[in-house]
Structures are given as structure tokens and as C-alpha cells.
Short mmCIF file of all heavy atoms in Angstrom, two decimals:
data_model
loop_
_atom_site.label_atom_id
_atom_site.label_comp_id
_atom_site.label_asym_id
_atom_site.label_seq_id
_atom_site.Cartn_x
_atom_site.Cartn_y
_atom_site.Cartn_z
N SER A 1 18.11 9.04 20.97
CA SER A 1 17.30 8.43 22.03
C SER A 1 16.80 7.07 21.56
O SER A 1 17.03 6.67 20.43
CB SER A 1 16.11 9.34 22.40
OG SER A 1 16.55 10.56 22.96
N PHE A 2 16.10 6.36 22.47
CA PHE A 2 15.42 5.11 22.13
C PHE A 2 16.39 4.02 21.65
O PHE A 2 16.28 3.51 20.55
CB PHE A 2 14.33 5.32 21.08
CG PHE A 2 13.44 6.49 21.31
CD1 PHE A 2 12.99 7.26 20.24
CD2 PHE A 2 13.04 6.86 22.58
CE1 PHE A 2 12.17 8.35 20.43
CE2 PHE A 2 12.21 7.96 22.79
CZ PHE A 2 11.77 8.70 21.71
N GLY A 3 17.36 3.67 22.51
CA GLY A 3 18.33 2.66 22.13
C GLY A 3 19.50 3.20 21.34
O GLY A 3 20.09 2.47 20.54
N ALA A 4 19.87 4.45 21.58
CA ALA A 4 20.99 5.07 20.86
C ALA A 4 22.30 4.80 21.60
O ALA A 4 22.37 4.93 22.82
CB ALA A 4 20.76 6.58 20.74
N ALA A 5 23.33 4.43 20.84
CA ALA A 5 24.65 4.17 21.42
C ALA A 5 25.72 4.74 20.53
O ALA A 5 25.65 4.62 19.30
CB ALA A 5 24.86 2.67 21.61
N ASP A 6 26.74 5.35 21.15
CA ASP A 6 27.83 5.94 20.37
C ASP A 6 29.13 5.88 21.17
O ASP A 6 29.11 5.81 22.40
CB ASP A 6 27.50 7.39 20.03
CG ASP A 6 27.94 7.77 18.62
OD1 ASP A 6 28.86 7.10 18.10
OD2 ASP A 6 27.38 8.71 18.06
N HIS A 7 30.25 5.92 20.45
CA HIS A 7 31.58 5.92 21.05
C HIS A 7 31.74 4.76 22.05
O HIS A 7 32.01 4.96 23.22
CB HIS A 7 31.88 7.27 21.70
CG HIS A 7 31.82 8.41 20.74
ND1 HIS A 7 32.70 8.56 19.68
CD2 HIS A 7 30.93 9.43 20.61
CE1 HIS A 7 32.39 9.62 18.98
NE2 HIS A 7 31.31 10.18 19.52
N ASN A 8 31.53 3.55 21.53
CA ASN A 8 31.67 2.33 22.31
C ASN A 8 30.62 2.23 23.43
O ASN A 8 30.91 1.83 24.55
CB ASN A 8 33.07 2.18 22.90
CG ASN A 8 34.15 2.23 21.83
OD1 ASN A 8 34.63 3.31 21.50
ND2 ASN A 8 34.50 1.09 21.28
N GLY A 9 29.39 2.59 23.11
CA GLY A 9 28.29 2.47 24.04
C GLY A 9 27.47 1.22 23.79
O GLY A 9 27.50 0.63 22.70
N LEU A 10 26.71 0.81 24.81
CA LEU A 10 25.76 -0.30 24.72
C LEU A 10 24.44 0.17 25.30
O LEU A 10 24.36 0.51 26.48
CB LEU A 10 26.26 -1.51 25.49
CG LEU A 10 25.32 -2.71 25.60
CD1 LEU A 10 24.99 -3.28 24.23
CD2 LEU A 10 25.91 -3.78 26.51
N ALA A 11 23.39 0.23 24.47
CA ALA A 11 22.11 0.79 24.90
C ALA A 11 20.96 -0.13 24.53
O ALA A 11 20.93 -0.70 23.43
CB ALA A 11 21.90 2.16 24.27
N PHE A 12 19.98 -0.24 25.45
CA PHE A 12 18.77 -1.00 25.23
C PHE A 12 17.55 -0.11 25.48
O PHE A 12 17.50 0.60 26.49
CB PHE A 12 18.66 -2.19 26.19
CG PHE A 12 19.68 -3.26 25.98
CD1 PHE A 12 20.91 -3.19 26.60
CD2 PHE A 12 19.38 -4.37 25.19
CE1 PHE A 12 21.85 -4.19 26.42
CE2 PHE A 12 20.31 -5.37 25.01
CZ PHE A 12 21.55 -5.29 25.62
N HIS A 13 16.59 -0.18 24.59
CA HIS A 13 15.25 0.38 24.82
C HIS A 13 14.28 -0.77 24.64
O HIS A 13 14.22 -1.39 23.58
CB HIS A 13 14.93 1.50 23.84
CG HIS A 13 13.54 2.04 24.00
ND1 HIS A 13 13.27 3.22 24.65
CD2 HIS A 13 12.33 1.55 23.61
CE1 HIS A 13 11.96 3.44 24.65
NE2 HIS A 13 11.37 2.43 24.02
N TYR A 14 13.48 -1.05 25.67
CA TYR A 14 12.65 -2.25 25.69
C TYR A 14 11.25 -1.87 26.17
O TYR A 14 11.05 -1.48 27.31
CB TYR A 14 13.29 -3.26 26.64
CG TYR A 14 12.85 -4.69 26.52
CD1 TYR A 14 12.14 -5.18 25.43
CD2 TYR A 14 13.17 -5.59 27.54
CE1 TYR A 14 11.77 -6.50 25.34
CE2 TYR A 14 12.81 -6.92 27.46
CZ TYR A 14 12.11 -7.38 26.36
OH TYR A 14 11.74 -8.71 26.29
N ASP A 15 10.24 -1.96 25.29
CA ASP A 15 8.84 -1.75 25.64
C ASP A 15 8.10 -3.05 25.39
O ASP A 15 8.07 -3.55 24.28
CB ASP A 15 8.24 -0.61 24.81
CG ASP A 15 6.86 -0.22 25.31
OD1 ASP A 15 5.93 -1.06 25.23
OD2 ASP A 15 6.68 0.92 25.76
N LEU A 16 7.47 -3.59 26.44
CA LEU A 16 6.97 -4.96 26.38
C LEU A 16 5.52 -5.10 25.95
O LEU A 16 5.08 -6.21 25.67
CB LEU A 16 7.16 -5.66 27.74
CG LEU A 16 8.55 -6.23 28.01
CD1 LEU A 16 9.59 -5.14 28.14
CD2 LEU A 16 8.53 -7.09 29.27
N ALA A 17 4.74 -4.02 25.92
CA ALA A 17 3.32 -4.16 25.60
C ALA A 17 2.70 -2.81 25.30
O ALA A 17 3.25 -1.76 25.63
CB ALA A 17 2.58 -4.83 26.76
N GLY A 18 1.50 -2.85 24.69
CA GLY A 18 0.73 -1.63 24.49
C GLY A 18 0.83 -1.06 23.10
O GLY A 18 1.68 -1.44 22.29
N ASN A 19 -0.08 -0.12 22.83
CA ASN A 19 -0.07 0.65 21.58
C ASN A 19 0.72 1.93 21.84
O ASN A 19 0.23 2.85 22.49
CB ASN A 19 -1.49 0.97 21.14
CG ASN A 19 -2.33 -0.27 20.92
OD1 ASN A 19 -1.86 -1.24 20.33
ND2 ASN A 19 -3.57 -0.26 21.40
N ASP A 20 1.93 1.97 21.35
CA ASP A 20 2.86 3.04 21.70
C ASP A 20 3.11 3.99 20.53
O ASP A 20 3.07 3.58 19.37
CB ASP A 20 4.18 2.44 22.16
CG ASP A 20 3.99 1.42 23.28
OD1 ASP A 20 3.29 1.75 24.26
OD2 ASP A 20 4.52 0.30 23.16
N THR A 21 3.40 5.24 20.86
CA THR A 21 3.66 6.26 19.85
C THR A 21 5.03 6.88 20.10
O THR A 21 5.34 7.29 21.22
CB THR A 21 2.59 7.36 19.89
OG1 THR A 21 1.31 6.79 19.64
CG2 THR A 21 2.87 8.42 18.83
N TYR A 22 5.83 6.95 19.04
CA TYR A 22 7.18 7.53 19.12
C TYR A 22 7.27 8.72 18.18
O TYR A 22 6.85 8.65 17.03
CB TYR A 22 8.24 6.50 18.71
CG TYR A 22 8.40 5.36 19.70
CD1 TYR A 22 7.53 4.27 19.67
CD2 TYR A 22 9.41 5.37 20.65
CE1 TYR A 22 7.67 3.22 20.56
CE2 TYR A 22 9.56 4.32 21.55
CZ TYR A 22 8.69 3.25 21.50
OH TYR A 22 8.83 2.22 22.38
N GLU A 23 7.88 9.80 18.68
CA GLU A 23 8.10 10.99 17.86
C GLU A 23 9.56 11.39 17.98
O GLU A 23 10.04 11.67 19.08
CB GLU A 23 7.19 12.14 18.30
CG GLU A 23 5.71 11.86 18.12
CD GLU A 23 4.85 13.00 18.59
OE1 GLU A 23 5.41 14.04 19.01
OE2 GLU A 23 3.61 12.87 18.55
N GLY A 24 10.27 11.43 16.85
CA GLY A 24 11.68 11.83 16.83
C GLY A 24 12.57 10.85 17.56
O GLY A 24 12.17 9.75 17.91
N GLY A 25 13.83 11.23 17.72
CA GLY A 25 14.70 10.54 18.65
C GLY A 25 15.56 9.40 18.15
O GLY A 25 16.56 9.08 18.77
N PHE A 26 15.19 8.74 17.04
CA PHE A 26 15.95 7.57 16.61
C PHE A 26 17.28 7.97 15.98
O PHE A 26 17.36 8.92 15.21
CB PHE A 26 15.13 6.73 15.64
CG PHE A 26 14.02 5.96 16.31
CD1 PHE A 26 12.74 6.49 16.39
CD2 PHE A 26 14.27 4.72 16.86
CE1 PHE A 26 11.73 5.79 17.01
CE2 PHE A 26 13.26 4.01 17.48
CZ PHE A 26 11.98 4.55 17.55
N TYR A 27 18.32 7.18 16.29
CA TYR A 27 19.68 7.48 15.87
C TYR A 27 20.29 6.23 15.25
O TYR A 27 20.35 5.18 15.90
CB TYR A 27 20.49 7.91 17.08
CG TYR A 27 21.95 8.21 16.82
CD1 TYR A 27 22.33 9.42 16.25
CD2 TYR A 27 22.94 7.30 17.17
CE1 TYR A 27 23.67 9.71 16.03
CE2 TYR A 27 24.27 7.58 16.96
CZ TYR A 27 24.63 8.78 16.38
OH TYR A 27 25.95 9.07 16.16
N THR A 28 20.71 6.31 14.00
CA THR A 28 21.15 5.11 13.29
C THR A 28 22.57 5.24 12.70
O THR A 28 22.99 4.35 11.97
CB THR A 28 20.18 4.79 12.13
OG1 THR A 28 20.15 5.88 11.22
CG2 THR A 28 18.78 4.53 12.66
N SER A 29 23.31 6.28 13.02
CA SER A 29 24.62 6.50 12.40
C SER A 29 25.70 6.61 13.46
O SER A 29 26.20 7.70 13.76
CB SER A 29 24.59 7.76 11.53
OG SER A 29 23.62 7.66 10.53
N GLN A 30 26.06 5.49 14.05
CA GLN A 30 27.04 5.50 15.12
C GLN A 30 28.42 5.93 14.64
O GLN A 30 28.83 5.66 13.53
CB GLN A 30 27.15 4.11 15.76
CG GLN A 30 26.04 3.77 16.71
CD GLN A 30 24.81 3.24 16.00
OE1 GLN A 30 24.74 3.25 14.78
NE2 GLN A 30 23.85 2.77 16.76
N SER A 31 29.12 6.61 15.54
CA SER A 31 30.54 6.93 15.35
C SER A 31 31.29 6.42 16.57
O SER A 31 30.83 6.61 17.70
CB SER A 31 30.75 8.44 15.22
OG SER A 31 32.11 8.76 15.35
N ASN A 32 32.42 5.77 16.36
CA ASN A 32 33.23 5.30 17.48
C ASN A 32 34.60 5.97 17.46
O ASN A 32 35.62 5.38 17.78
CB ASN A 32 33.35 3.78 17.42
CG ASN A 32 31.99 3.12 17.55
OD1 ASN A 32 31.35 3.20 18.60
ND2 ASN A 32 31.52 2.47 16.50
N ALA A 33 34.61 7.24 17.06
CA ALA A 33 35.85 7.97 16.85
C ALA A 33 36.65 8.16 18.14
O ALA A 33 37.87 8.31 18.10
CB ALA A 33 35.56 9.34 16.22
N TYR A 34 35.98 8.17 19.29
CA TYR A 34 36.71 8.38 20.54
C TYR A 34 37.73 7.27 20.77
O TYR A 34 38.85 7.53 21.20
CB TYR A 34 35.75 8.39 21.72
CG TYR A 34 34.92 9.63 21.89
CD1 TYR A 34 34.90 10.66 20.96
CD2 TYR A 34 34.10 9.78 23.01
CE1 TYR A 34 34.12 11.79 21.13
CE2 TYR A 34 33.31 10.90 23.19
CZ TYR A 34 33.32 11.90 22.25
OH TYR A 34 32.54 13.00 22.43
N HIS A 35 37.32 6.01 20.54
CA HIS A 35 38.15 4.88 20.94
C HIS A 35 38.35 3.84 19.84
O HIS A 35 39.09 2.89 20.04
CB HIS A 35 37.53 4.17 22.15
CG HIS A 35 37.10 5.09 23.24
ND1 HIS A 35 38.00 5.69 24.11
CD2 HIS A 35 35.89 5.56 23.60
CE1 HIS A 35 37.34 6.47 24.95
NE2 HIS A 35 36.06 6.41 24.68
N GLY A 36 37.67 3.98 18.72
CA GLY A 36 37.62 2.89 17.76
C GLY A 36 36.68 1.81 18.28
O GLY A 36 36.01 1.97 19.29
N GLY A 37 36.62 0.69 17.58
CA GLY A 37 35.76 -0.38 18.05
C GLY A 37 34.34 -0.25 17.55
O GLY A 37 34.09 0.23 16.44
N HIS A 38 33.37 -0.65 18.39
CA HIS A 38 31.98 -0.70 17.97
C HIS A 38 31.05 -0.27 19.11
O HIS A 38 31.42 -0.33 20.28
CB HIS A 38 31.60 -2.11 17.52
CG HIS A 38 32.39 -2.61 16.36
ND1 HIS A 38 32.11 -2.24 15.06
CD2 HIS A 38 33.47 -3.42 16.31
CE1 HIS A 38 32.98 -2.82 14.25
NE2 HIS A 38 33.82 -3.54 14.98
#
């Protein structure tokens, strides 16, 4: 979650203001095995 992209995905998570709290969800190990690429 929170801007996660995989298998040739393009994702944006954009929060413009405030004191925000995040729990879990971040993904940093993309795989593009379906199609190759990025």
C-alpha cells in the first residue's frame, strides 16, 4: 500500500498537509516477473 507498484505498475500516494500517522503497508521490493521492465 501507500504508493506500491508491481509488475509494470505506476503508483502515487500524495498527502499534502497535516500531522499524519502510517501503520504497516509500505512495499519496497518490486518484482516485474510478469512482463519484465520496471
Side-chain angles (χ1 to χ4, degrees):
S1 295
F2 315 142
D6 219 336
H7 301 294
N8 304 89
L10 175 61
F12 293 87
H13 177 101
Y14 198 15
D15 189 296
L16 278 67
N19 301 317
D20 307 310
T21 300
Y22 291 82
E23 296 179 2
F26 286 94
Y27 178 78
T28 60
S29 301
Q30 282 83 352
S31 166
N32 298 294
Y34 285 6
H35 313 284
H38 299 280

